[in-house]
Each structure stands twice: as structure tokens, then as C-alpha cells.
Amino acid sequence: MAHLITKHDPFHIHKILGVFVLLSFLYRLFNVGRYGIAFPKTENKWFSVCSVALHGVLSLSSLLLPLPKKRNFSSPMIWPEFRLHSIVFAMRHVICTIINLLQLWPTNFWANLVAKASIVLSTISLARLITENYGDKVKRTTNSMPYPRNVTKAEEKLVKNLYAQAQFHAVIQAIFEDPTASFMPILAIQAAPLLMTLVRKGKIGSYWYHRIYAISLWLPFAIYWWRFYLRTIDMGETYWSANVATLIVLKLRFSGYNKE
């Protein structure tokens, strides 16, 4: 534990925010288990908004901490490109969740489509810009992620495909007009840099990084089916969001965009 508390965060801003965010996740998961939604209708709306905004502040506060400039390809450790990607993707879900909580999505069909496409495309554009300035166009985040030595190439390919599918579904959930759905992918997005920090500090290895990260990625799917069982999710909205996200991704593929 002593190795996690360093002089780089002398006022413990990032750590304190991390504790509050962890409590926020636990509270939201409790609500999902009990009510089928993360944000009960009886909850004060501005409390909900502030608690979600806290997740964005946590991601931004990570900029206070120094990182090695070069990526470590032998173990899954955080590096500048990944940190900036994490901030961008976390903010996508923070913004969309707040829009959902305040019911700010346009009601006009075309305006709604443009608003959602703008958020998705701007996120991708920022991620691409970050990669061009801080990353490698060949050795990307997912395709060059280190795995334990006992993992075969076939298993590695399977895991990478599962990660890619989860990332695509996160896009769908971001533009889903349901605050619970748009919020839940933040768990995996913010868990990844924490796990990478634990790897760097020698608290866990790559095996546990991938295992815990995979669980956090697929937890939203378990929540989805739990909510479907409780009938607290709109299947029509699921279909609409999936189609919008699919059209955007197909357009990007044909225009030369490559997956992480």
C-alpha cells in the first residue's frame, strides 16, 4: 500500500477522488441490483449529475501524475497515449450520461442523429489525434497489449476480439438514451488505468490485469440482461442506438479508419 502513495500526488487529490468514484460505482451497482436502474427517480437530479461529473474530474486529475514517455511492451502499464485515450472515452460517457439525466437529447429525429454522431465522431477524432502525437500507428493499444506467457496466440486473438466487441458496444451504450446504460461502461474505462498502475507498482501481474479488466468490460452486459429481466430497459431504444452506432462505424471503416 505504501508504494501506491507517492510524492507525485502530495495533496492526495487523485486518490481521494478515486475513493469517491469507487463508492459511486458501488452505490450505482447496488441501485441496479435493487431497482434495475443506477439512478433512481427519487434521487435528486443534481446529486446524480454531480456524482457522474466526479468521474470526469477523476480522469482529468490523472494529468497531475507523471508517466514514463515510452510504452512498456512487456507488461500492461499505463503510458501517456493510453491515459489521454482513457480521459477522452471516459468523458464521452460522462457527457452522455449527464445529457440523459437532464434529458437534453434533441427530440427531432435528424437533430438527434446529428448530436449522437457528433459525440461519437469527435471522440474518435480526438483519439486518432492523440495516437498521431503520442502513440504508434502500428503498435496500437489493443493489438500490442502484452499477455501472460502461457496464453496461446489463438487465445490472445479471441481475447482481442472480445475487447473489440466490448468497445463497440460501449459506443452503443454511450448514445443510448438511458443514464444507466450510458454510465456503466465508465467502470471498465477507469478500471484499466488503475489496473495498469497496480501492475507498475508490482501489486498484480498481466494475468490479473486481463482477468479483472475482462470482467469490468462484460459487467454492463450482465446488467443489461438483469434489467431486461426486470423490464427496466427500452428495447426500442436499444435497436435505435445500435443502428446509429453501426452506421457510424461502417462509414469509418470504408473511409480507412482502423480499429485500435
Side-chain angles (χ1 to χ4, degrees):
M1 188 65 174
H3 293 291
L4 296 177
I5 300 175
T6 66
K7 62 181 181 180
H8 300 306
D9 186 15
F11 299 105
H12 308 298
I13 296 172
H14 190 64
K15 297 176 189 66
I16 292 170
L17 287 169
V19 171
F20 280 113
V21 162
L22 177 60
L23 293 174
S24 171
F25 275 128
L26 293 174
Y27 173 64
R28 298 303 168 193
L29 289 172
F30 171 79
N31 286 337
V32 170
R34 185 174 182 180
Y35 306 112
I37 54 175
F39 303 90
K41 294 180 180 179
T42 55
E43 183 175 291
N44 182 279
K45 185 176 293 185
W46 290 106
F47 172 79
S48 301
V49 169
C50 290
S51 69
V52 173
L54 197 64
H55 291 264
V57 177
L58 172 67
S59 290
L60 292 171
S61 72
S62 67
L63 294 171
L64 297 171
L65 307 175
L67 287 178
K69 292 184 178 180
K70 292 186 178 181
R71 178 180 179 181
N72 186 321
F73 287 98
S74 62
S75 294
M77 299 181 186
I78 191 168
W79 70 101
E81 179 198 15
F82 184 89
R83 175 167 65 182
L84 293 173
H85 277 174
S86 177
I87 292 172
V88 167
F89 293 128
M91 292 306 297
R92 175 185 66 191
H93 290 274
V94 168
I95 291 170
C96 287
T97 303
I98 291 175
I99 290 174
N100 279 325
L101 288 168
L102 298 178
Q103 299 179 330
L104 297 178
W105 289 115
T107 55
N108 176 271
F109 175 85
W110 292 109
N112 187 285
L113 177 63
V114 169
K116 291 178 177 178
S118 297
I119 289 176
V120 174
L121 293 174
S122 61
T123 302
I124 292 172
S125 296
L126 283 171
R128 181 184 292 172
L129 183 63
I130 290 167
T131 296
E132 289 174 355
N133 287 277
Y134 296 93
D136 190 300
K137 293 183 179 180
V138 177
K139 295 182 178 180
R140 308 293 289 274
T141 299
T142 301
N143 68 21
S144 297
M145 183 63 69
Y147 288 82
R149 294 181 180 179
N150 61 335
V151 174
T152 66
K153 289 296 181 181
E155 292 171 335
E156 185 177 322
K157 184 177 180 180
L158 175 62
V159 172
K160 287 178 179 179
N161 286 334
L162 291 174
Y163 284 177
Q165 290 176 35
Q167 290 165 3
F168 172 71
H169 284 285
V171 177
I172 296 175
Q173 289 179 280
I175 58 177
F176 198 108
E177 292 188 27
D178 177 284
T180 300
S182 56
F183 173 78
M184 282 304 164
I186 302 178
L187 174 59
I189 294 170
Q190 296 194 316
L194 170 61
L195 293 169
M196 288 183 173
T197 300
L198 293 176
V199 171
R200 183 174 296 280
K201 300 293 184 179
K203 302 300 181 182
I204 62 172
S206 59
Y207 175 83
W208 281 106
Y209 166 84
H210 286 288
R211 172 165 285 191
I212 299 172
Y213 180 57
I215 291 172
S216 67
L217 275 177
W218 290 100
L219 183 60
F221 291 91
I223 290 172
Y224 177 90
W225 288 110
W226 174 245
R227 297 185 66 203
F228 179 71
Y229 171 75
L230 295 178
R231 298 184 180 180
T232 60
I233 196 165
D234 185 346
M235 293 303 294
E237 173 59 27
T238 303
Y239 179 78
W240 161 241
S241 298
N243 275 283
V244 171
T246 301
L247 288 171
I248 292 170
V249 172
L250 286 175
K251 183 182 184 304
L252 289 170
R253 284 200 174 189
F254 283 115
S255 64
Y257 172 75
N258 293 318
K259 294 187 300 182
E260 283 285 306

